Amino acid sequence: MSLNNLDQLYRAVIMEHYKKPRNKGYLDENNVTVDMNNPTCGDRIHLTLKINDGIVEDAKFDGEGCSISMSSASMMTEIIKGKKVEEALKLADIFSKMMLGEEIDEEILDELGDIAALQGVSKFPARIKCATLAWKAMEKGVSKEIE
Amino acid sequence: MNEFRKDFPILNQEVNGHPLVYLDSAATSQKPVQVLEVVRKYYDFDNSNVHRGVHTLGNRATDSYEGAREKIRKFINAKSTKEIIYTRGTTTSLNTVASAYGRQNVQEGDEIVITYMEHHSNLIPWQQLAKEKNAVLKYIDLEEDGTISLDTVKETITPKTKIVAMTMASNVLGTINPIKEVAKIAHENGAVMVVDGAQAAPHMPIDVQDLDCDFLAFSGHKMCGPTGIGVLYGKQELLENIEPIEFGGEMIDFVDLYDSTWKELPWKFEGGTPNIAGAIGLGAAIDYLTNIGLDKIANHEHELIEYALSEMDKIEGLHIYGPRDPKKRCGLITFNLDGVHPHDLATVLDMRGIAIRAGHHCAQPLMKWLKVSATARASFYIYNNKEDVDALVEGLRAAKEYFNNVFE
């Protein structure tokens, strides 16, 4: 029964984030805002980041999309909070490598926490863009701030 | 089983461990061996450029290429092959009307009328033309059930309207529009009627003289033909007065250093070496469809969607968009299932070998009208059968159960 393969994609932790997204909402307008969508499928994200002295102090998102895109946004905002901008960008880089199916060190996977559960997405090529949407938005927001 | 399935070798395979159930023909149809063989034979024996060689292969290629044009003429009952222009597909056909006829005939303050249910390819060309010309783009509002009321059409089209562009069958709602009646209203107001036939040509008989439409666009790949070939039909008197928008080989009469003249219709719109194999393949697809009979195809699809609608209705939390009356629909059903995002649904179904479409279906304004960000769509064609519907319904139930469990 191939529904079992689905369990590789829809890991419990992913569905938990989908069901109860962290950091859902908005920060006020003085913060960095990014709107991004996936034109091929209609997923969209509105991300606000509070960045002070090179540190992501707060992050919130709102949007519409499938379980993968929304849970990924929830996990992403959770992990980057309190991180230095460079660290956040490094995580984005690791995440995109993970989506390409590259081997990730156990140590780094531990550091990623819940996010490691999204590894299975790399086996579903049509869904990779769902998972990377929030990360792309974050990268864009952070680079706005650096400029 | 169904008598046509054997013609489509691609259907005879397993996907993710299950027999393939292909329910995405509104995106692109599968191709029967009858079409594949004709294309293969062209490349094996006749491949040559058209309209220039004196040699035998050149003549054969030209005969087949122009022979396919005659098949297309007959297929839509155009008066002359001068009215049949080969294009890359519906998108190119509609863009050609907007860039050639539209630019040359729409002025500031004129109106262009379209509907909320248009595919982006019958929306953006008009939107951009309106912006360029400072013309007014107007939308015909839809009824609650996703159909169009002729009263609303009459209210929206005015003597200022120069172009009315409408799909014959919606790729999302499935709605079949009253093109003949709308064309009459357009003409009474001095406007031309442009018809997007992408979802209609594969599934129902089209008679351009009866519809009295001025332009009709459709694609080969949705009607058992190859990708990259499509048709623009235009009334001869209109086409005669439009300047071509692509210049180069094949389309010229005399070329001088500082001026040139064009070939006669339809070639003045066919600059460059055309998609010869595609055109010949489309001719073969038309043979295939007309041998079966477009009425028979339409009936088969109506039976299937009638069955599918009744089975899908039994699933709690499943919402179907568009008219409820199967007779007002073409062979597709767009829907959403509570608690399961369309992408997730499409992945679950794919794991069961079932191919459906999920997303905004290139109709973002319509998605806004429906107040959804995405939908799922199952679309049917001659090779689908009741077993496919059963597999879909079973898959939908499984998806629902899977996601419900996740949420418990």
Side-chain angles (χ1 to χ4, degrees):
Chain A
M1 191 52 193
S2 58
L3 271 184
N4 291 338
N5 293 343
L6 286 175
D7 295 334
Q8 287 179 24
L9 178 66
Y10 298 119
R11 304 276 297 276
V13 59
I14 295 176
M15 299 321 273
E16 205 269 327
H17 273 271
Y18 182 41
K19 204 165 94 181
K20 291 187 203 142
R22 326 292 197 258
N23 307 311
K24 193 96 191 263
Y26 304 86
L27 297 172
D28 68 62
E29 285 172 13
N30 299 326
N31 297 293
V32 183
T33 65
V34 186
D35 283 289
M36 214 175 236
N37 62 44
N38 183 346
T40 56
C41 64
D43 282 0
R44 55 164 202 89
I45 185 170
H46 175 88
L47 181 70
T48 39
L49 300 169
K50 185 179 180 188
I51 301 175
N52 259 332
D53 295 333
I55 290 172
V56 184
E57 289 182 352
D58 204 356
K60 285 204 185 300
F61 81 97
D62 191 47
E64 279 173 273
C66 60
S67 57
I68 303 299
S69 69
M70 293 296 107
S71 62
S72 180
S74 170
M75 294 174 186
M76 184 279 292
T77 50
E78 199 174 37
I79 202 166
I80 63 163
K81 268 209 251 180
K83 292 258 186 327
K84 282 186 194 154
V85 163
E86 300 83 60
E87 288 172 328
L89 288 173
K90 203 177 146 209
L91 285 168
D93 192 46
I94 293 167
F95 189 77
S96 73
K97 286 197 171 114
M98 192 167 103
M99 287 302 105
L100 290 170
E102 289 183 23
E103 285 274 323
I104 308 288
D105 287 349
E106 282 296 327
E107 214 172 289
I108 295 172
L109 280 179
D110 282 348
E111 202 185 316
L112 289 177
D114 289 357
I115 294 169
L118 284 167
Q119 250 184 325
V121 177
S122 68
K123 298 205 173 57
F124 292 78
R127 305 303 297 278
I128 292 171
K129 278 191 175 151
C130 308
T132 52
L133 180 65
W135 288 92
K136 297 258 182 261
M138 185 271 283
E139 283 180 301
K140 193 175 163 191
V142 164
S143 57
K144 256 189 195 175
E145 184 64 16
I146 293 170
E147 281 165 17
Chain B
M1 265 311 278
N2 137 338
E3 60 189 296
F4 310 114
R5 282 181 90 87
K6 64 174 188 336
D7 297 334
F8 296 84
I10 198 169
L11 297 176
N12 188 23
Q13 66 174 301
E14 289 203 340
V15 168
N16 295 319
H18 295 265
L20 170 64
V21 175
Y22 187 75
L23 298 177
D24 198 19
S25 297
T28 196
S29 74
Q30 298 304 345
K31 327 297 177 199
V33 282
Q34 289 86 341
V35 169
L36 303 177
E37 274 167 9
V38 166
V39 173
R40 173 80 203 220
K41 191 178 150 274
Y42 164 74
Y43 278 124
D44 277 348
F45 297 102
D46 304 333
N47 180 48
S48 190
N49 213 327
V50 290
H51 298 138
R52 37 184 86 143
V54 175
H55 56 73
T56 303
L57 293 192
N59 286 339
R60 278 197 226 144
T62 304
D63 285 351
S64 302
Y65 178 74
E66 291 304 328
R69 199 190 304 273
E70 167 58 19
K71 289 174 186 178
I72 296 163
R73 184 206 64 75
K74 213 171 148 199
F75 184 67
I76 58 169
N77 193 31
K79 279 185 192 157
S80 156
T81 50
K82 290 179 189 235
E83 301 181 316
I84 307 297
I85 298 159
Y86 287 124
T87 67
R88 196 162 57 84
T90 305
T91 300
T92 309
S93 299
L94 292 167
N95 274 280
T96 302
V97 182
S99 315
Y101 181 85
R103 276 218 185 109
Q104 292 159 32
N105 290 279
V106 173
Q107 318 283 338
E108 186 170 345
D110 287 347
E111 295 170 353
I112 301 166
V113 172
I114 64 174
T115 78
Y116 277 102
M117 70 169 88
E118 299 315 313
H119 186 281
H120 293 163
S121 62
N122 198 28
L123 191 160
I124 306 170
W126 309 116
Q127 179 192 72
Q128 296 302 310
L129 176 66
K131 271 176 75 176
E132 183 189 316
K133 294 286 184 178
N134 264 325
V136 183
L137 182 65
K138 290 165 86 178
Y139 286 82
I140 295 171
D141 209 349
L142 310 183
E143 301 300 293
E144 198 110 310
D145 67 347
T147 57
I148 277 171
S149 130
L150 288 176
D151 287 335
T152 315
V153 174
K154 280 177 197 155
E155 281 162 24
T156 316
I157 299 174
T158 75
K160 280 187 172 174
T161 308
K162 288 288 181 301
I163 293 171
V164 178
M166 188 181 283
T167 186
M168 190 159 172
S170 160
N171 70 313
V172 176
L173 300 165
T175 315
I176 298 172
N177 285 322
I179 295 298
K180 188 176 174 175
E181 290 75 13
V182 177
K184 192 164 171 272
I185 298 165
H187 292 149
E188 283 164 4
N189 285 278
V192 296
M193 182 75 203
V194 183
V195 179
D196 169 0
Q199 297 294 343
H203 305 286
M204 60 194 80
I206 294 182
D207 181 332
V208 290
Q209 292 188 61
D210 179 56
L211 293 174
D212 197 22
C213 59
D214 299 287
F215 296 99
L216 170 77
F218 58 97
S219 299
H221 73 95
K222 292 192 203 288
M223 48 189 288
C224 296
T227 51
I229 187 76
V231 174
L232 170 61
Y233 157 83
K235 280 184 183 162
Q236 188 176 340
E237 60 267 33
L238 291 170
L239 293 177
E240 297 280 11
N241 291 316
I242 307 171
E243 284 295 299
I245 50 171
E246 277 197 343
F247 306 102
E250 297 265 2
M251 54 78 65
I252 43 84
D253 187 14
F254 291 105
V255 178
D256 212 341
L257 280 182
Y258 301 105
D259 205 1
S260 302
T261 54
W262 320 134
K263 257 191 196 164
E264 57 177 334
L265 284 174
W267 303 290
K268 79 169 178 182
F269 290 105
E270 293 178 2
T273 294
N275 181 354
I276 305 166
I280 294 169
L282 175 55
I286 286 175
D287 285 343
Y288 181 76
L289 296 176
T290 46
N291 277 340
I292 295 168
L294 270 291
D295 284 317
K296 190 172 172 185
I297 293 169
N299 283 339
H300 173 70
E301 288 170 14
H302 279 138
E303 271 173 33
L304 273 185
I305 58 162
E306 197 161 0
Y307 177 62
L309 287 169
S310 74
E311 289 302 301
M312 288 166 78
D313 264 340
K314 293 177 192 161
I315 302 172
E316 210 187 315
L318 190 134
H319 308 278
I320 292 167
Y321 304 104
R324 298 303 317 205
D325 180 357
K327 294 277 175 238
K328 286 186 182 167
R329 280 178 162 271
C330 62
L332 60 90
I333 298 175
T334 297
F335 59 95
N336 260 321
L337 187 55
D338 284 347
V340 191
H341 190 278
H343 303 158
D344 293 319
L345 185 58
T347 295
V348 173
L349 292 177
D350 182 48
M351 287 295 104
R352 301 167 72 92
I354 304 166
I356 63 155
R357 173 85 188 262
H360 56 54
H361 314 292
C362 299
Q364 290 184 22
L366 179 59
M367 292 294 116
K368 271 193 196 129
W369 185 85
L370 289 170
K371 298 191 179 67
V372 294
S373 60
T375 59
R377 179 185 71 190
S379 52
F380 303 90
Y381 209 13
I382 35 176
Y383 36 72
N384 292 115
N385 54 23
K386 282 193 169 177
E387 286 76 16
D388 292 340
V389 176
D390 292 337
L392 171 68
V393 170
E394 203 183 311
L396 292 172
R397 288 187 194 282
K400 198 184 158 189
E401 197 183 326
Y402 186 82
F403 273 80
N404 279 351
N405 287 343
V406 160
F407 277 92
E408 265 158 21

